[in-house]
Amino acid sequence: MLMVAAPAAWSQTQDDYRAWILAMQDNPRGPFSRIRWFCNDGTVLPPKAYACREHGGGVQHGQWSAETVKLRERGYLVANLLAAVDTAAFLQSADVEDQYAQLLIERFLMAVEQGWIFRQAIVYRGAIQEEDERAGGRALLTAMAADSEWLGPRFAALRAGVKLLPHGDDNASIGRIRQWSADLSEGDPGFMPLRVRIHGTPSAADAEAVRRYSRSVQTGALKARYDALADEIDRVYQAQPLDQILSDWVSSNRLPTLSRDQLGAALNAWPEASAIDRLTITGGVLAALRDALEQIDTPSHRVEILDVSLRIEAEHFKAGTRVREQLDSFDRSQVLAVTAAAADAAYGTGLLNARLHNELLRTFTTLDVQQLPLSGYRAGLDYLALANGWAVQNLRRYFYPSMMTLAEIEPEAKLFIQDQLRGSPLLLYSQALDHLLRDAGQLAGIKHSVFGTVHGVGFNALNPGTASGVLHTQLPESLTDYRSDGIYLLPETVSDLPPIAGIITRGAGNPLSHVQLLARNLGIPNVSVSPDMAQLLSAHDGERVLMQVSPAGQVRIDQMGDRAAPTAQVQVVIRPDLDKLDLDVHVPLPLAQLRAADSGRTVGPKAAKLAELRKHYPEAVSRGVAIPFGMFRDVVLEQAHRSGTTLWEWMVAQYRHLDTLQPGSEQRKEATEAFRAELYTAILNTPLPDEFREALRQALMTEMGSLDVGVFVRSDTNVEDLAGFTGAGLNLTLPNVIGIDAVLEAIPRVWASPFTERAFAWRQAHMEAPEHVYTSVLLLESVGSDKSGVLVTADIDTGARDVLSVAVNEGLGGAVDGQAAESLRISADGETVTVLATATAPWRRVPDPAGGILKLPASGADTVMTPLEIKRLAAFAQELPQRFGPIEDDEGRLAPADVEFGFLDGQLRLFQIRPFLDNQMVQGSSALRDMDKGLDAGATTQVPLSGRPAR
């Protein structure tokens, strides 16, 4: 092993760790303390010739310093040596994805940061043995290529490793280079640092380094030997002509017949092919090679094919450079052909999965006509524009958590995903598509605009709305430091987001998560952006900006300057119906005793609406018990307070006192927070009387038949699912609580959750009579769903009622919590499915038999919901209004249903139903609708694909 013991008394901060990283870059030994032999039997020996001969062999390399060991113990997996990797143990480890991702990100840092922590260690003789590194890399990649998991769901990560890790065969030329450089250094000590680099971390740049050194040599014969070494290095790194590579593989038997035929056709067309033809050929070959991988029996041949695909990708990039220079002269059909070729290459290089690639191919087919209406042209291009976000989410799935871990000690790590994208086929894809989207925008009279510049790609609008405030691209360390008037560039939409004015995300999450629904309901604009767009926005950090997102998804972001802030779009007032409130129910209620009409009367909408669902769908809704508002008042609000009054009386007096303070003043903010914190603590520490405990015990035994059935303990208030306020996701749900004692312990936490800082902040600014917040609790039997998600019985973008909007993930609750989900639009009959995104969340949550939730790796499959499940969900949506009754908001207006559902062994399960509430002020905003004016006016205009895109 590499490890040595670190001093036990050490206690460091991230500042210390960053300082260590900087010191390693200047330390002649880098991250190592000394050189050692690491023998196969576990023995570690000092460096000497054949030290491990009696110990089953071994390798020599640097031993980690104490600082390196400490960093690794803290999760910063730096100073990786492939020679030290136990391939089998590595791939079987529970955290293999993190280890592998950090390994690749470190290789990226070495490339962009002049060796990074190995900067000086490269010439620390014996620390890094190049032949051992290549052998270790080859063993690791070959073992990965033998596993269908890495050829399928993890393909992008495997291919990144082939690109970044040394793994070539130790051929005769490489052997000559090492031998010649060793011989030269023996007679010329000045050459030793360069010799160590050639042996440790060789590259094509070594040839020029040797030639530079040769110019300083005085002896002619010695100079000739250095020049010969440089020439040999050139020969090793000289790229083999692509036609020769293709010819070799066409004549071999290592590829399936179909792939060989495709390569043969490419080989025949290659010599006379134009730049755009070469782009198409290489895109097709990259896709074909990916499809052929699993049909190749030998793992080492699979790695060779991946090496070939890297060479073909380079040719694709080269052809793309020439095509990019000609884009302005192409007609629309030619630009679409360029985009299609880049899409094939993006699939072949792992940025897109097979399902999404097929969806793009279908869209290209709809655009392969002589002319089409502008509305169809825009719709097709808008769909193609989703591919950039898909690729970002795909890479984030594998690399984002590890990237952000290493970014804590090396900020350049944050550029890893961006670097992978910029060097990919999606660079040309985005540039070509931008031409077409700006063309469509000009034809329709609409445009995305950021700080005065028109853009075609880089945006995906999630929620419409208007916001003005300070743009923050450098995020606060704590969620409590977010400002309600700020517009924030977030890494992703987090489930515990506090109130803010506008949301810009690097990762889309999904549009049906709780926080997205809450933001949409309140008219808070939200748009996801590409890495390039995020970088552009970062240049305006700290500036006051105006952000507008139209109902049709047009985005404008500009400096406020001296302009007055726009009239507020959000005028939400939370006004619960106190006339129907009934606080005189003092016993737990099984769902069988509740109906939808009890919502806001004795219990919250979760329990009441689920009880109604259970009546009509008894097989789909779990058993449950509700603790009504009356018991909350009895136990919580009527308890004694330190002021000598009841908690209720003290609370009402405090609210009246706050009303006397200047709105927005620091005094009011401080007094409000002090009051909230005391109220939260008092509720959290509420003692549960014996009669309450016994009543709940009996209710659970009667309903569940046991006190050891797992239940979800869910907050259920009278101030959610109201006409202007969903309250989605604000309050606490404790999953899979097992045992009566654990349930009793959970109840005060759930009662108190509406008074956490975050929930209070989202709600109280809109509350009328804020003292009338009552919390019931729903104890719902746990269901270990295979997959779960959110259904809205309308297209959330257009409002069309003949389309269903669905977001779903593997396991429990991922979609509602904002995980990157499978996002679908399904026709009402379930026959037509449009894929807007596939699930890229790396984890799924499942019930722990001992209580709580386990987090397990997601399967990585392209598809979450099966066709049969889609049909079942569509059938449920069609029959819902007849069986359940019309879905209405609290003002009696018909509304789409927002349903939380799951599937267990193919059977539909239902967990919540509420009206889907849009912000009517936003939907009716004349300023936002003016942004979309051109859409209806030019919808039927015919667009000839033989014409050139408008500039």
Side-chain angles (χ1 to χ4, degrees), residues 346-381:
Y347 166 68
T349 56
L351 293 172
L352 303 176
N353 63 39
R355 187 184 189 190
L356 296 176
H357 181 229
N358 288 332
E359 293 294 327
L360 292 182
L361 293 181
R362 275 194 281 272
T363 303
F364 282 118
T365 299
T366 66
L367 295 170
D368 187 17
V369 293
Q370 292 185 347
Q371 65 177 22
L372 75 168
L374 176 58
S375 58
Y377 182 55
R378 286 192 67 254
L381 297 180

Side-chain angles (χ1 to χ4, degrees), residues 387-455:
N388 291 296
W390 293 340
V392 170
Q393 288 301 110
N394 191 30
L395 292 177
R396 285 170 64 92
R397 171 187 183 175
Y398 299 113
F399 298 113
Y400 183 76
S402 305
M403 186 177 79
M404 297 311 293
T405 294
L406 286 176
E408 294 172 3
I409 58 171
E410 174 50 76
E412 291 297 308
K414 289 183 180 180
L415 301 178
F416 177 78
I417 290 177
Q418 187 172 324
D419 179 79
Q420 298 298 300
L421 290 170
R422 283 187 171 173
S424 80
L426 281 179
L427 176 63
L428 178 62
Y429 182 95
S430 298
Q431 291 169 333
L433 190 59
D434 187 70
H435 273 59
L436 297 173
L437 283 165
R438 285 190 286 120
D439 169 48
Q442 188 160 330
L443 292 174
I446 59 174
K447 58 188 178 182
H448 293 307
S449 176
V450 179
F451 300 113
T453 302
V454 176
H455 296 269

Side-chain angles (χ1 to χ4, degrees), residues 350-588:
L351 293 172
L352 303 176
N353 63 39
R355 187 184 189 190
L356 296 176
H357 181 229
N358 288 332
E359 293 294 327
L360 292 182
L361 293 181
R362 275 194 281 272
T363 303
F364 282 118
T365 299
T366 66
L367 295 170
D368 187 17
V369 293
Q370 292 185 347
Q371 65 177 22
L372 75 168
L374 176 58
S375 58
Y377 182 55
R378 286 192 67 254
L381 297 180
D382 285 344
Y383 189 81
L384 295 180
L386 295 175
N388 291 296
W390 293 340
V392 170
Q393 288 301 110
N394 191 30
L395 292 177
R396 285 170 64 92
R397 171 187 183 175
Y398 299 113
F399 298 113
Y400 183 76
S402 305
M403 186 177 79
M404 297 311 293
T405 294
L406 286 176
E408 294 172 3
I409 58 171
E410 174 50 76
E412 291 297 308
K414 289 183 180 180
L415 301 178
F416 177 78
I417 290 177
Q418 187 172 324
D419 179 79
Q420 298 298 300
L421 290 170
R422 283 187 171 173
S424 80
L426 281 179
L427 176 63
L428 178 62
Y429 182 95
S430 298
Q431 291 169 333
L433 190 59
D434 187 70
H435 273 59
L436 297 173
L437 283 165
R438 285 190 286 120
D439 169 48
Q442 188 160 330
L443 292 174
I446 59 174
K447 58 188 178 182
H448 293 307
S449 176
V450 179
F451 300 113
T453 302
V454 176
H455 296 269
V457 295
F459 299 95
N460 181 28
L462 299 173
N463 296 335
T466 297
S468 60
V470 175
L471 177 63
H472 299 273
T473 63
Q474 303 297 319
L475 300 182
E477 292 185 2
S478 169
L479 287 173
T480 60
D481 295 327
Y482 281 72
R483 293 178 55 87
S484 61
D485 60 351
I487 297 172
Y488 287 87
L489 175 61
L490 304 170
E492 56 193 353
T493 305
V494 293
S495 59
D496 55 353
L497 188 69
I500 58 178
I503 304 170
I504 306 171
T505 56
R506 299 175 190 264
N510 74 76
L512 297 181
S513 67
H514 278 154
V515 73
Q516 293 281 25
L517 293 175
L518 182 63
R520 187 184 187 101
N521 178 219
L522 294 176
I524 297 171
N526 184 357
V527 59
S528 66
V529 297
S530 67
D532 285 343
M533 194 57 60
Q535 189 171 15
L536 189 156
L537 292 170
S538 295
H540 296 270
D541 180 60
E543 296 180 8
R544 288 194 61 80
V545 301
L546 174 65
M547 175 182 176
Q548 295 174 295
V549 181
S550 77
Q554 302 307 305
V555 179
R556 291 181 187 168
I557 301 174
D558 208 350
Q559 292 160 319
M560 280 292 294
D562 296 328
R563 285 182 287 183
T567 303
Q569 296 293 335
V570 181
Q571 298 180 6
V572 171
V573 177
I574 303 174
R575 187 180 294 118
D577 187 347
L578 299 180
D579 291 335
K580 73 174 183 179
L581 185 66
D582 181 357
L583 299 178
D584 292 326
V585 179
H586 309 290
V587 294

Side-chain angles (χ1 to χ4, degrees), residues 605-606 719-723 725-727 890 912-915 917:
K606 293 186 184 76
V719 288
E720 55 193 87
D721 295 355
L722 301 179
F725 186 74
T726 69
D890 268 24
Q912 188 164 343
I913 186 169
R914 57 161 68 97
L917 301 175

Side-chain angles (χ1 to χ4, degrees), residues 730-758:
L730 284 185
N731 304 324
L732 184 63
T733 290
L734 293 173
N736 194 38
V737 179
I738 296 178
I740 185 63
D741 291 339
V743 170
L744 290 168
E745 185 179 330
I747 287 169
R749 293 177 61 192
V750 173
W751 272 340
S753 65
F755 303 95
T756 62
E757 187 171 0
R758 173 177 175 265

Side-chain angles (χ1 to χ4, degrees), residues 18-310:
R18 285 189 285 267
W20 290 355
I21 292 295
L22 291 173
M24 288 177 187
Q25 294 173 27
D26 294 327
N27 189 324
R29 297 187 178 189
F32 306 117
S33 60
R34 56 189 179 179
I35 308 300
R36 283 292 182 267
W37 275 93
F38 296 84
C39 304
N40 292 338
D41 66 358
T43 306
V44 178
L45 299 172
K48 67 177 183 178
Y50 310 111
C52 288
R53 175 183 291 172
E54 305 300 324
H55 300 275
V59 291
Q60 176 184 281
H61 53 71
Q63 186 175 46
W64 291 329
S65 66
E67 290 83 359
T68 302
V69 171
K70 191 70 172 181
L71 287 168
R72 294 184 67 89
E73 288 174 348
R74 292 292 182 266
Y76 307 114
L77 306 181
V78 299
N80 295 284
L81 290 173
L82 294 169
V85 172
D86 180 336
T87 297
F90 182 92
L91 294 177
Q92 291 170 11
S93 63
D95 61 346
V96 58
E97 291 191 346
D98 182 43
Q99 290 190 58
Y100 181 67
Q102 291 203 44
L103 169 65
L104 298 193
I105 296 166
E106 181 174 65
R107 289 283 163 169
F108 159 74
L109 291 172
M110 291 168 64
V112 300
E113 288 290 304
Q114 300 178 319
W116 196 47
I117 59 174
F118 296 96
R119 186 175 299 164
Q120 305 301 324
I122 287 172
V123 294
Y124 179 27
R125 187 175 182 182
I128 304 170
Q129 302 287 353
E130 184 267 342
E131 61 272 31
D132 291 336
E133 288 299 289
R134 281 191 293 106
R138 187 162 57 250
L140 177 61
L141 294 171
T142 302
M144 292 165 68
D147 185 347
S148 60
E149 188 78 12
W150 290 97
L151 298 179
R154 298 177 181 175
F155 177 74
L158 169 61
R159 196 172 184 279
V162 175
K163 182 184 294 186
L164 290 168
L165 300 179
H167 62 278
D169 286 331
D170 194 3
N171 57 40
S173 291
I174 293 173
R176 278 195 298 272
I177 290 170
R178 283 205 301 268
Q179 186 59 52
W180 290 359
S181 61
D183 291 345
L184 285 164
S185 66
E186 291 295 327
D188 181 4
F191 184 65
M192 180 60 74
L194 193 49
R195 178 259 192 181
V196 172
R197 191 174 86 179
I198 291 170
H199 279 235
T201 55
S203 71
D206 293 340
E208 181 55 32
V210 171
R211 289 192 178 96
R212 282 198 304 271
Y213 187 83
S214 178
R215 288 194 284 271
S216 69
V217 174
Q218 303 301 317
T219 306
L222 189 57
K223 180 179 176 64
R225 291 176 64 190
Y226 282 119
D227 291 341
L229 173 61
D231 292 343
E232 189 70 14
I233 294 171
D234 277 338
R235 278 191 289 275
V236 167
Y237 288 99
Q238 185 176 29
Q240 185 181 9
L242 183 62
D243 54 357
Q244 183 60 55
I245 294 174
L246 296 179
S247 179
D248 290 346
W249 280 90
V250 168
S251 61
S252 76
N253 292 319
R254 290 176 287 180
L255 280 175
T257 301
L258 183 63
S259 301
R260 289 205 307 274
D261 290 346
Q262 190 163 354
L263 285 183
L267 177 62
N268 292 333
W270 189 257
E272 305 300 324
S274 65
I276 193 170
D277 289 337
R278 289 192 170 197
L279 193 77
T280 302
I281 289 169
T282 51
V285 170
L286 283 167
L289 290 180
R290 178 178 179 181
D291 289 337
L293 270 180
E294 289 202 64
Q295 301 174 54
I296 299 170
D297 294 332
T298 308
S300 61
H301 289 168
R302 293 173 179 172
V303 176
E304 290 177 34
I305 277 290
L306 289 170
D307 283 326
V308 171
S309 80
L310 291 174

